[in-house]
């Protein structure tokens, strides 16, 4: 294996936050799984839009409004193309959480009833759990979980067995787990799900930022992700859906822009994608996200993945050097996204993160919005280090040093 | 001279051709421009697979009214098969003025309505 | 009456968009009712947050995450204080449309049933109509409309009569109409509504940007507004609610951050305001909005109102000079917000806006997301000119000239 | 020396006082720290309007465990009326270390639980 440095993207200078110093120290950011840092081009695009092209979209006749309109729709086209989707079936939401809620409300309430089942997995983020709990309780349906095995993976046989029960209407699962790092075999899963007559929703929040995603070959009915983890601004998420499904669905949020016509007692809906975008959308944020995916495309998603996989492999290698440290999820970097969640004997994850911070290293600790998974893993919380395009091998070294120093503080 | 509001556009706007009702009629449709709430409907009489006669009704801006008026002359006598294949370019060319992205729907509303009446397809002409 | 110029705020230089030229001409922006332009300080705050303080909120132990947290919560405090609300009952949404949907879903589904009525007014924006249509259809309730009189105003007697019928559970109405400009007597209305045992929701989208709003004296149970009209960024809205009501309500969007604890089959909710903020919020946008309300406070909302009222009075005066022009809504500037909607005989509003644009003037045309009101007014659409803090009397003059020139183009 | 992880904090963390169950007990409560999912419960035995004895159970970080351990000694013998009035400052002072905004909930979880058991109030101490 070539040394990590050889395969490292050299993009840190594109990200202004790394110019900051914290008590004189550089920022060592290993929390991209929570949110990514933003390249200057994205921030500039957002600021430039507000500075020079700001107007409301969809209704203005004047030149400035047409610029705003064009910028917003161009962003939609870029974002759609980035994952191989069509613009008309690409809906801007505020985050992936809203996108999943949209499906649970609009598709779910019309298609899931008493005696039906919703199937999710033990590795889901709360955003892909709680909306289904609410739906199932309201509709008298059953919420079942696909098990995660000791490697942190799902079993296709278990999926087949669940589908064979004949009551599953929708299977909602993460493309990449935000705790285990597991990369799920989406195409194989959606094929089975479709064959069983069920619908698939894939939570791509962790996947889109770090690997090439082609919705054509993944075959998901719905695919959702979030801008702020993909080098984009906060305040914007994305939902892609199969046209026939989106067309059959009732809208979720209602109000301006999503209507064709409103009478006193009833309204008719606008065409896709507007039917699902009620009110003034996150215009400048979408423009920023368009530039973010352009930036990622410029790097090449295969290079992004190679860079992050190499760093992850290095991280897995180095972390085991720390006594008492246990990493959860698939052992091989090829099978996981760019993160490692771990526990450290004798130190609570919260304290692990605090001690890492003393070494200037930013990692996350807690349940990572995946409490059911924590229960399956038999832990209350874990610490998690996650990498992005701007990380380097030295960041991992700093983490390992901080952890070792932390063990000393705790007298271990 | 004005680029958009040419004399013939304003002439068609003020005195649109083939506006009103047509009874009895064989086909009809009604559509809104979601941007401004304008409404345009059409009545079509068919003979031998062709549009024998048609009338628009509703209200709209100079662009949408002129487009409907100008198109109505061309549509008369056209086979339903040919109507089904008309696209946005046909209408924009016929109109003969530069149409901005925002006003495109104004210009295309009549074609959407006519195609809707003929084929049932409610999509905007592309 | 002193000349308009005397009472003019001199802030245009704070807004970078006015440095732009369109075919060599200055921007004459009379569409603040659709969205406001943004002062440089707001854009800078947004960009600076993303550049130097970006991290996800609510869970990070490290210093950067604490900065992000503090910035987000400080923004909440500023925004709450700006309208006299408490931070814990101030919820960030993506726009006012989401805020109203939140109430219609969460409060409405639990409190409106068959035989009940929802009362709105004929002057509402689609955002305050369609969610109630959906709710009433789902629950078998009745949606009724308070009439708008020939002055464009509501009648308190008519409100009393509606409330006396005893079936009204909630009254939802605009503080300021986005078409008529009417300023509704909120405090008197909420007093009557409360006395009748009903709940009030006020759509403050147009009010908050242009007048001092003090929720303490307005007495609304729910009050919602939107950042992008109040000099803030896109992608952020605000909902204030009475604590007891918010506490009783089920959440709307569900997922991360809004939970206290998640088990396999059920979850418990976080405290206010987090219970209603699912997923990663519009962090940088909230920070930007915090600076926007600070900027407005710096100008003084009484000065903002005085400036815009004077301009509106001037606009009403000048517009009647144009032959065939008819303004809708209250005739006196004291009784209306900073806008004038009008029709021009012989020219469709869409063409009016197009002709204004030839004079470099940005105004809006259409139904302004208020189709039921258009029907009441007996028009399909209107043109609308609306002013903001950066407008000057010369902008109105330019509009009037453009309208006159437009009449000539149309041979009128 | 470490600011936060002082010797006595780590000592309390490793060997917390008054942890376990207390049966029978008169009052109890259980709360989560929503930030990390940590869980802390308390059992309280009351005599003559005072806390006669108490035990915490659950899991948490060094700050939350040490805070519970340190507080438990002070709480014993305190009147329920006084317990109801304890505020965040009391706990933070008692802990004796600088607590960041994020870790504040860790430090206050035990007081929230105890006050909840005594008064039914589930709000975070302010
Ligand atoms: C009175 C009123 N309510 C609601 C809205 C909707 O605001 P938003 O699109 O930001 O949700 C608007 C503006 O469009 C408005 O003027
Ligand atoms: C797998 C996964 N799903 C959903 C989410 C929620 O994303 P957001 O908070 O942007 O809605 C996250 C990130 O927090 C995630 O990692």
């Amino acid at each position: 294996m070539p040394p990590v440095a050889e395969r490292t993207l050299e993009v840190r200078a594109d990200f202004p936050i790394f110019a900051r110093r914290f008590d004189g120290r550089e920022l060592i950011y290993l929390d991209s799984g929570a949110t990514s840092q933003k390249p200057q081009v994205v921030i500039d695009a957002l600021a430039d839009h507000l500075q020079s092209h700001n107007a409301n979209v969809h209704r203005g006749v004047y030149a400035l409004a047409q610029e705003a309109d064009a910028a917003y729709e161009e962003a939609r086209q870029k974002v759609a193309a980035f994952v191989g989707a069509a613009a008309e079936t690409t809906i801007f939401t505020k985050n992936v959480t809203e996108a999943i809620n949209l499906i649970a409300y609009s598709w779910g309430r019309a298609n899931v009833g008493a005696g039906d089942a919703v199937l999710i997995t033990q590795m889901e983020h709360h955003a892909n759990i709680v909306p289904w709990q609410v739906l199932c309780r309201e509709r008298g349906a059953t919420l079942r979980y696909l098990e995660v095995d000791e490697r942190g993976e799902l079993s296709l046989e278990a999926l087949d067995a669940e589908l064979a029960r004949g009551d599953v209407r929708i299977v909602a699962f993460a493309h990449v787990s935000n705790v285990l790092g597991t990369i799920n075999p989406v195409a194989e899963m959606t094929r089975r799900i479709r064959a069983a007559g069920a619908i698939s929703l894939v939570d791509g929040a962790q996947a889109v930022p770090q690997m090439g995603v082609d919705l054509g070959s993944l075959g998901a009915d719905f695919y959702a992700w979030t801008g702020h983890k993909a080098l984009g601004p906060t305040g914007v998420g994305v939902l892609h859906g199969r046209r026939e499904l989106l067309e059959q669905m009732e809208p979720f949020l209602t109000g301006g822009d999503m209507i064709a016509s409103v009478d006193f007692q009833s309204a008719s809906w606008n065409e896709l994608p507007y039917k699902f975008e009620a009110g003034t959308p996150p215009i400048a944020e979408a423009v920023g996200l368009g530039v973010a995916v352009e930036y990622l495309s410029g790097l090449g998603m295969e290079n992004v993945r190679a860079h992050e996989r190499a760093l992850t492999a290095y991280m897995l290698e180095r972390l085991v050097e720390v006594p008492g440290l246990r990493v959860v999820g698939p052992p091989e970097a090829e099978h996981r996204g760019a993160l490692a969640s771990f526990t450290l004997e004798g130190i609570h994850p919260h304290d692990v993160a605090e001690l890492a911070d003393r070494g200037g290293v930013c990692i996350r600790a807690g349940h990572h919005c995946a409490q059911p998974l924590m229960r399956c893993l038999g832990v209350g919380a874990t610490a998690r280090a996650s990498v992005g395009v701007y990380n380097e091998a030295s960041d991992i070294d700093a983490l390992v040093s901080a952890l070792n120093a932390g063990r000393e503080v705790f007298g271990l | 001279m004005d680029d958009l509001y040419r004399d013939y556009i304003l002439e068609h706007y003020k005195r649109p051709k083939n506006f009103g009702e047509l009874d009895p009629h064989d086909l009809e449709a009604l559509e809104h421009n979601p941007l401004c709430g304008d409404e345009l409907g059409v009545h079509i009489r068919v003979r031998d697979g062709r549009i024998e006669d048609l009338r628009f009704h509703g209200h709209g801006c100079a662009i949408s009214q002129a487009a409907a008026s100008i198109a109505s002359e061309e549509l008369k006598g056209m086979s339903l098969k040919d109507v089904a294949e008309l696209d946005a370019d046909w209408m924009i060319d016929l109109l003969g003025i530069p149409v901005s992205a925002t006003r495109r729907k104004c210009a295309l509303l009549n074609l959407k309505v006519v195609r809707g009446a003929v084929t049932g397809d409610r999509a905007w002409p592309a």
Side-chain angles (χ1 to χ4, degrees), chain A residues 126-177:
Chain A
H126 291 164
N128 205 19
I129 299 176
V130 189
W132 305 114
Q133 291 181 343
V134 170
L135 173 70
C136 288
R137 187 163 42 252
E138 182 186 321
R139 312 292 301 172
T142 307
L143 179 63
R144 291 205 301 269
Y145 287 77
L146 263 189
E147 269 183 36
V148 168
D149 67 19
E150 59 298 335
R151 279 179 52 87
E153 293 176 345
L154 303 173
S155 138
L156 292 172
E157 291 68 46
L159 172 61
D160 286 338
E162 279 289 354
L163 292 169
R165 293 171 67 171
D167 58 353
V168 174
R169 302 302 317 273
I170 187 166
V171 185
F173 60 99
H175 190 160
V176 173
S177 158

Coordinates of all heavy atoms in Angstrom, one line a residue, chain A residues 126-177:
Chain A
H126 N -31.9 8.8 13.6 CA -33.3 9.2 14.1 C -34.2 9.8 13.0 O -35.4 9.6 13.0 CB -33.2 10.2 15.3 CG -32.6 9.6 16.5 ND1 -32.1 10.3 17.6 CD2 -32.4 8.3 16.9 CE1 -31.7 9.5 18.5 NE2 -31.8 8.3 18.1
A127 N -33.5 10.5 12.1 CA -34.3 11.1 11.0 C -35.0 10.0 10.1 O -36.0 10.3 9.5 CB -33.4 11.9 10.1
N128 N -34.5 8.8 10.1 CA -35.1 7.7 9.4 C -35.7 6.7 10.3 O -35.9 5.5 9.9 CB -34.0 7.1 8.5 CG -34.6 6.4 7.2 OD1 -35.7 6.7 6.9 ND2 -33.8 5.5 6.6
I129 N -36.0 7.1 11.5 CA -36.7 6.2 12.5 C -38.0 6.8 12.9 O -39.0 6.3 12.8 CB -35.8 5.9 13.7 CG1 -34.5 5.2 13.3 CG2 -36.6 5.0 14.7 CD1 -33.5 5.0 14.5
V130 N -37.8 8.0 13.5 CA -38.9 8.6 14.2 C -40.1 8.9 13.3 O -41.3 8.7 13.6 CB -38.5 9.9 15.0 CG1 -39.7 10.4 15.9 CG2 -37.3 9.5 15.9
P131 N -39.9 9.4 12.1 CA -41.0 9.7 11.2 C -41.8 8.4 10.9 O -43.0 8.4 10.8 CB -40.4 10.2 9.9 CG -39.1 10.8 10.3 CD -38.6 9.9 11.5
W132 N -41.1 7.2 10.9 CA -41.8 6.0 10.6 C -42.5 5.5 11.9 O -43.6 4.9 11.8 CB -40.8 4.9 10.2 CG -40.0 5.4 9.0 CD1 -38.7 5.7 8.9 CD2 -40.6 5.7 7.7 NE1 -38.4 6.1 7.6 CE2 -39.5 6.2 6.9 CE3 -41.9 5.7 7.1 CZ2 -39.7 6.6 5.5 CZ3 -42.0 6.1 5.8 CH2 -41.0 6.5 5.0
Q133 N -42.0 5.8 13.1 CA -42.7 5.5 14.3 C -44.0 6.2 14.3 O -45.1 5.7 14.6 CB -41.9 5.9 15.5 CG -40.6 5.0 15.7 CD -39.8 5.4 17.0 OE1 -40.0 6.5 17.5 NE2 -39.0 4.6 17.5
V134 N -43.9 7.5 14.0 CA -45.1 8.3 14.0 C -46.2 7.8 13.0 O -47.3 7.7 13.3 CB -44.8 9.8 13.7 CG1 -46.0 10.7 13.5 CG2 -43.9 10.4 14.8
L135 N -45.7 7.5 11.8 CA -46.6 7.0 10.8 C -47.2 5.7 11.2 O -48.4 5.5 11.1 CB -45.8 6.8 9.5 CG -46.6 6.1 8.3 CD1 -47.7 7.0 7.8 CD2 -45.6 5.6 7.2
C136 N -46.4 4.8 11.7 CA -47.0 3.4 12.0 C -48.0 3.5 13.2 O -49.0 2.9 13.2 CB -45.8 2.5 12.4 SG -44.9 2.0 10.9
R137 N -47.7 4.4 14.1 CA -48.6 4.6 15.2 C -49.9 5.1 14.7 O -51.0 4.6 15.0 CB -48.0 5.4 16.3 CG -49.0 5.5 17.6 CD -48.3 6.0 18.8 NE -47.4 7.1 18.6 CZ -46.1 7.1 18.6 NH1 -45.5 6.0 18.9 NH2 -45.4 8.2 18.4
E138 N -49.8 6.1 13.8 CA -51.0 6.8 13.3 C -51.9 5.8 12.5 O -53.1 5.8 12.5 CB -50.6 8.0 12.5 CG -51.9 8.7 12.0 CD -51.5 9.9 11.0 OE1 -50.5 10.5 11.3 OE2 -52.2 10.1 10.0
R139 N -51.2 5.0 11.7 CA -51.9 4.1 10.7 C -52.1 2.7 11.2 O -52.7 1.9 10.5 CB -51.1 4.1 9.4 CG -50.6 5.4 8.9 CD -51.8 6.3 8.4 NE -52.5 5.6 7.4 CZ -53.7 6.1 6.9 NH1 -54.2 7.2 7.4 NH2 -54.3 5.5 6.0
G140 N -51.7 2.4 12.4 CA -51.9 1.0 12.9 C -51.0 0.1 12.1 O -51.3 -1.1 12.0
A141 N -49.9 0.5 11.7 CA -49.0 -0.4 11.0 C -47.8 -0.8 11.9 O -47.8 -0.3 13.0 CB -48.4 0.3 9.7
T142 N -47.0 -1.7 11.4 CA -45.9 -2.3 12.3 C -44.6 -1.7 11.8 O -44.4 -1.7 10.6 CB -45.9 -3.8 12.2 OG1 -47.3 -4.3 12.4 CG2 -45.0 -4.4 13.1
L143 N -43.7 -1.4 12.7 CA -42.4 -0.9 12.3 C -41.4 -2.1 12.7 O -41.3 -2.5 13.8 CB -42.0 0.3 13.1 CG -40.6 0.9 12.8 CD1 -40.5 1.3 11.4 CD2 -40.3 2.1 13.7
R144 N -40.8 -2.6 11.7 CA -39.8 -3.7 11.9 C -38.4 -3.2 11.6 O -38.2 -2.3 10.7 CB -40.2 -4.9 11.2 CG -41.5 -5.6 11.7 CD -41.6 -7.1 11.4 NE -41.5 -7.4 10.0 CZ -42.6 -7.5 9.3 NH1 -43.8 -7.3 9.7 NH2 -42.4 -7.8 8.0
Y145 N -37.4 -3.9 12.2 CA -36.0 -3.5 12.0 C -35.2 -4.6 11.4 O -35.3 -5.8 11.9 CB -35.4 -3.1 13.3 CG -35.8 -1.8 13.9 CD1 -37.0 -1.7 14.5 CD2 -34.9 -0.7 13.8 CE1 -37.4 -0.4 15.1 CE2 -35.3 0.5 14.4 CZ -36.5 0.6 15.0 OH -36.9 1.8 15.5
L146 N -34.5 -4.4 10.3 CA -33.5 -5.3 9.8 C -32.3 -5.3 10.8 O -31.8 -4.3 11.1 CB -33.0 -4.9 8.4 CG -33.6 -5.5 7.2 CD1 -32.8 -5.1 6.0 CD2 -33.7 -7.1 7.3
E147 N -31.8 -6.5 11.1 CA -30.7 -6.6 12.1 C -29.4 -6.2 11.5 O -29.1 -6.4 10.3 CB -30.6 -8.0 12.6 CG -31.4 -8.2 13.9 CD -31.3 -9.6 14.4 OE1 -30.2 -10.1 14.3 OE2 -32.3 -10.1 15.0
V148 N -28.5 -5.7 12.3 CA -27.2 -5.4 12.0 C -26.3 -6.6 12.5 O -26.5 -6.9 13.7 CB -26.7 -4.1 12.6 CG1 -25.2 -3.9 12.5 CG2 -27.4 -2.9 11.9
D149 N -25.5 -7.2 11.7 CA -24.7 -8.3 12.3 C -23.4 -7.9 13.0 O -23.2 -6.6 13.1 CB -24.4 -9.4 11.2 CG -23.4 -8.8 10.1 OD1 -22.7 -7.8 10.4 OD2 -23.4 -9.3 9.0
E150 N -22.6 -8.8 13.4 CA -21.5 -8.4 14.3 C -20.4 -7.6 13.5 O -19.6 -6.9 14.1 CB -20.9 -9.6 15.0 CG -20.4 -10.8 14.2 CD -21.5 -11.5 13.4 OE1 -22.7 -11.4 13.7 OE2 -21.1 -12.0 12.3
R151 N -20.5 -7.7 12.2 CA -19.6 -6.9 11.4 C -20.2 -5.5 11.1 O -19.5 -4.6 10.5 CB -19.4 -7.5 10.0 CG -18.4 -8.7 9.9 CD -18.3 -9.2 8.5 NE -18.1 -8.2 7.5 CZ -16.9 -7.7 7.1 NH1 -15.8 -8.2 7.6 NH2 -16.8 -6.7 6.2
G152 N -21.4 -5.3 11.6 CA -22.0 -4.0 11.4 C -22.7 -3.9 10.0 O -22.9 -2.9 9.5
E153 N -23.1 -5.1 9.5 CA -23.7 -5.1 8.1 C -25.1 -5.7 8.2 O -25.5 -6.4 9.1 CB -22.8 -5.9 7.2 CG -21.5 -5.1 6.9 CD -20.4 -5.8 6.1 OE1 -20.6 -7.0 5.9 OE2 -19.5 -5.1 5.6
L154 N -25.8 -5.5 7.1 CA -27.1 -6.0 6.9 C -27.0 -7.3 6.1 O -26.0 -7.6 5.4 CB -28.0 -5.1 6.1 CG -28.2 -3.7 6.7 CD1 -29.0 -2.8 5.7 CD2 -28.9 -3.7 8.1
S155 N -28.0 -8.2 6.3 CA -28.0 -9.4 5.5 C -29.1 -9.4 4.5 O -30.2 -9.1 4.8 CB -28.2 -10.6 6.5 OG -29.1 -11.5 6.0
L156 N -28.7 -9.7 3.2 CA -29.7 -9.7 2.1 C -30.7 -10.9 2.4 O -31.9 -10.7 2.0 CB -29.0 -9.9 0.8 CG -28.1 -8.7 0.4 CD1 -27.3 -9.0 -0.9 CD2 -29.0 -7.5 0.1
E157 N -30.3 -11.9 3.0 CA -31.2 -13.0 3.3 C -32.2 -12.6 4.3 O -33.4 -12.9 4.1 CB -30.4 -14.2 3.8 CG -29.5 -14.9 2.8 CD -28.3 -14.1 2.4 OE1 -27.7 -13.5 3.4 OE2 -28.1 -14.0 1.2
A158 N -31.8 -11.8 5.3 CA -32.8 -11.3 6.2 C -33.7 -10.4 5.6 O -34.9 -10.4 5.8 CB -32.0 -10.6 7.4
L159 N -33.2 -9.6 4.6 CA -34.1 -8.7 3.9 C -35.2 -9.5 3.1 O -36.4 -9.2 3.1 CB -33.3 -7.8 2.9 CG -34.1 -7.0 1.9 CD1 -35.0 -6.0 2.6 CD2 -33.2 -6.2 0.9
D160 N -34.7 -10.6 2.4 CA -35.6 -11.4 1.7 C -36.6 -12.0 2.6 O -37.8 -12.1 2.2 CB -34.8 -12.6 1.0 CG -34.0 -12.1 -0.2 OD1 -34.3 -11.0 -0.7 OD2 -33.0 -12.7 -0.6
A161 N -36.2 -12.4 3.7 CA -37.1 -13.1 4.7 C -38.2 -12.1 5.1 O -39.4 -12.4 5.2 CB -36.4 -13.6 5.9
E162 N -37.8 -10.8 5.4 CA -38.7 -9.8 5.8 C -39.7 -9.5 4.6 O -40.9 -9.4 4.9 CB -38.0 -8.5 6.1 CG -37.4 -8.5 7.5 CD -38.5 -8.4 8.6 OE1 -39.7 -8.2 8.3 OE2 -38.1 -8.6 9.8
L163 N -39.2 -9.4 3.4 CA -40.0 -9.1 2.3 C -41.0 -10.3 2.0 O -42.1 -10.0 1.6 CB -39.2 -8.8 1.0 CG -38.3 -7.5 1.1 CD1 -37.3 -7.5 -0.1 CD2 -39.2 -6.3 1.1
A164 N -40.5 -11.5 2.3 CA -41.4 -12.7 2.0 C -42.6 -12.7 2.9 O -43.6 -13.4 2.6 CB -40.6 -13.9 2.2
R165 N -42.6 -11.9 4.0 CA -43.8 -11.9 4.9 C -44.9 -11.2 4.2 O -46.1 -11.3 4.6 CB -43.4 -11.2 6.2 CG -42.5 -12.1 7.0 CD -41.9 -11.4 8.2 NE -43.0 -11.2 9.2 CZ -42.7 -10.7 10.4 NH1 -41.5 -10.4 10.8 NH2 -43.7 -10.5 11.3
G166 N -44.6 -10.5 3.1 CA -45.7 -9.9 2.3 C -46.4 -8.7 2.8 O -47.3 -8.2 2.1
D167 N -46.0 -8.2 3.9 CA -46.7 -7.0 4.4 C -45.9 -5.7 4.3 O -46.4 -4.6 4.7 CB -47.1 -7.2 5.9 CG -46.0 -7.5 6.8 OD1 -44.8 -7.7 6.3 OD2 -46.2 -7.6 8.0
V168 N -44.7 -5.8 3.8 CA -43.8 -4.6 3.8 C -44.2 -3.7 2.7 O -44.1 -4.1 1.5 CB -42.3 -5.0 3.7 CG1 -41.4 -3.8 3.6 CG2 -41.9 -5.9 4.9
R169 N -44.5 -2.5 3.0 CA -44.9 -1.5 1.9 C -43.7 -0.6 1.5 O -43.6 -0.2 0.4 CB -46.0 -0.6 2.4 CG -47.3 -1.3 2.8 CD -47.9 -2.1 1.7 NE -47.9 -1.5 0.4 CZ -48.8 -0.7 -0.1 NH1 -49.9 -0.4 0.7 NH2 -48.7 -0.1 -1.2
I170 N -42.8 -0.3 2.5 CA -41.6 0.5 2.2 C -40.5 0.1 3.0 O -40.6 -0.4 4.2 CB -42.0 2.0 2.4 CG1 -40.8 2.9 2.0 CG2 -42.3 2.3 3.9 CD1 -41.2 4.4 1.8
V171 N -39.3 0.1 2.4 CA -38.0 -0.2 3.2 C -37.2 1.1 3.1 O -36.9 1.6 2.0 CB -37.3 -1.3 2.5 CG1 -36.1 -1.7 3.4 CG2 -38.2 -2.6 2.3
A172 N -36.9 1.6 4.3 CA -36.1 2.9 4.4 C -34.8 2.6 5.1 O -34.8 2.0 6.2 CB -36.9 3.9 5.2
F173 N -33.7 2.9 4.4 CA -32.4 2.6 5.0 C -31.3 3.5 4.5 O -31.4 4.2 3.4 CB -32.0 1.1 4.6 CG -31.9 0.9 3.1 CD1 -30.7 0.8 2.5 CD2 -33.0 0.6 2.3 CE1 -30.6 0.6 1.1 CE2 -33.0 0.4 1.0 CZ -31.7 0.4 0.4
A174 N -30.3 3.6 5.3 CA -29.2 4.5 5.0 C -28.3 3.9 3.9 O -28.0 2.7 3.9 CB -28.3 4.7 6.2
H175 N -27.8 4.7 3.0 CA -26.8 4.3 2.0 C -25.5 4.0 2.8 O -24.9 2.9 2.6 CB -26.6 5.4 1.0 CG -25.8 5.0 -0.2 ND1 -25.9 5.7 -1.4 CD2 -24.9 4.0 -0.4 CE1 -25.0 5.1 -2.3 NE2 -24.5 4.1 -1.7
V176 N -25.1 4.9 3.6 CA -23.9 4.8 4.5 C -24.3 5.1 5.9 O -24.9 6.1 6.1 CB -22.8 5.7 4.0 CG1 -21.6 5.6 5.0 CG2 -22.3 5.3 2.6
S177 N -23.9 4.2 6.8 CA -24.3 4.4 8.2 C -23.4 5.5 8.8 O -22.2 5.6 8.6 CB -24.1 3.2 9.0 OG -23.9 3.5 10.4

